[in-house]
Amino acid sequence: MHHSALLNVMIAAARKAARSLKRDFGEVENLQVSLKGPANFVSAADRRAEETLYAELSKARPGYGFLGEEGGIREGDDKTHRWIVDPLDGTTNFLHGIPQFAISIGLEREGAIVAGLVYNPITEELFIAEKGKGAFLNDRRIRVAGRKNLSEAVLACGLAHLGHGDHPTVKRETGAMLGQVAGLRRFGAAALDLAFVAAGRFDGYWERSLSPWDLAAGIILVREAGGFVSDCDGGEAMLDKGEVAAGNETIRKEIVRVLKSA
Ligand code: IPD
Ligand code: CA
Ligand code: CA
């Protein structure tokens, strides 16, 4: 398949960072049995991956700004473009040898997300989208699922855990959703949750207490797959509020309705 120059840059950077993540993931499986566990090793792995992404992306597009989970904000001369990057989304999975994690790269132009990539180095599933050009999984066009009723829908969500998230809200909202859906999943990598919505695997997804790098790439994947994305109140402040509700327009609205009622 022919990709734009921009997507080629993003894909090349992701594949390079993926090689080191894949090696490190193999090592985690060995460290798993040690007493100290692989925690320190993993935080080095995602810093390494972010440096690779930064080096590759800024070589190809000098001047673009860069917001990464590990390194924070790096200003560029070009104030209209900014990469938003999570070098390893799904760290807890990675740390436990669970192959559900991804590199996530979004590109913002004048405040709007115009391209996104989510890549799982283990399954080698590559999700890409560019504004106005559709969303693709390994070069096959993807679409969000068409189901209109929550009663038939399988949704993904996030859960709070020790030291993270608003526990009472999560309990209320997941409690309210449980009785209304065909299935609720917690896979543990927000970027992949959104990519799976884009691919029609999940009918919808919502989560709070997220960061821009969890969301940027996935938002354009869902939109370019014909889906809709909002914050949990139905507004547009996903990145500012760090929350998301996604699906086809009917399911997204249903999610927001249930969250409001919770
Ligand atoms: C996390 C994952 C997870 C979500 C957390 C995120 P990380 O990102 O996306 O699914 O529930 O809130 O922080 O820390 O693995 O990059
Ligand atoms: Ca993340
Ligand atoms: Ca991360």
Side-chain angles (χ1 to χ4, degrees), residues 2-262:
H2 176 79
H3 299 126
S4 68
L6 172 64
L7 283 178
N8 279 331
V9 162
M10 294 165 67
I11 293 167
R15 289 204 189 280
K16 186 156 186 194
R19 283 201 288 278
S20 74
L21 280 183
K22 200 171 168 180
R23 250 193 330 267
D24 290 340
F25 186 68
E27 193 58 30
V28 162
E29 295 174 313
N30 300 331
L31 291 168
Q32 206 64 266
V33 292
S34 73
L35 203 56
K36 212 165 130 252
N40 289 334
F41 179 81
V42 169
S43 59
D46 55 21
R47 279 201 307 276
R48 233 183 341 260
E50 183 161 316
E51 284 317 304
T52 301
L53 292 168
Y54 178 71
E56 293 299 308
L57 294 171
S58 53
K59 190 166 71 193
R61 291 291 183 275
Y64 282 21
F66 188 97
L67 171 65
E69 177 169 17
E70 305 305 319
I73 299 173
R74 304 188 223 200
E75 301 280 355
D77 297 336
D78 177 345
K79 302 296 176 201
T80 58
H81 289 92
R82 179 167 75 144
W83 300 110
I84 304 180
V85 170
D86 192 339
L88 170 52
D89 184 52
T91 319
T92 306
N93 286 341
F94 187 96
L95 188 61
H96 286 257
I98 300 168
Q100 180 76 359
F101 60 88
I103 292 166
S104 175
I105 305 174
L107 178 66
E108 210 178 48
R109 178 176 301 140
E110 280 159 359
I113 302 155
V114 293
L117 171 153
V118 174
Y119 182 55
N120 179 333
I122 306 304
T123 62
E124 295 184 4
E125 286 194 319
L126 174 68
F127 299 86
I128 51 174
E130 206 174 346
K131 195 164 187 188
K133 296 186 182 165
F136 298 83
L137 162 54
N138 292 349
D139 291 341
R140 285 212 343 264
R141 185 86 193 242
I142 49 175
R143 303 275 309 166
V144 294
R147 290 183 195 85
K148 301 284 187 205
N149 298 312
L150 275 188
S151 60
E152 307 167 326
V154 172
L155 303 187
C157 66
L159 293 176
H161 52 86
L162 184 63
H164 180 86
D166 174 348
H167 290 232
T169 302
V170 167
K171 285 179 187 166
R172 267 191 297 107
E173 293 182 341
T174 50
M177 203 63 83
L178 290 177
Q180 311 239 8
V181 295
L184 194 56
R185 302 284 183 271
R186 197 314 187 219
F187 275 25
L192 282 173
D193 291 334
L194 285 164
F196 280 25
V197 172
R201 293 173 177 172
F202 293 140
D203 297 286
Y205 161 63
W206 90 96
E207 185 165 359
R208 297 180 189 270
S209 306
L210 292 171
S211 299
W213 45 81
D214 300 317
L215 293 168
I219 288 173
I220 186 156
L221 280 168
V222 172
R223 286 181 169 157
E224 287 298 321
F228 290 78
V229 181
S230 70
D231 59 40
C232 291
D233 299 309
E236 288 277 302
M238 294 81 71
L239 297 193
D240 289 338
K241 288 158 85 175
E243 56 183 54
V244 67
N248 65 42
E249 183 57 337
T250 311
I251 294 292
R252 185 203 63 77
K253 278 189 181 146
E254 282 290 277
I255 293 172
V256 170
R257 180 184 62 76
V258 174
L259 298 182
K260 279 189 176 148
S261 74

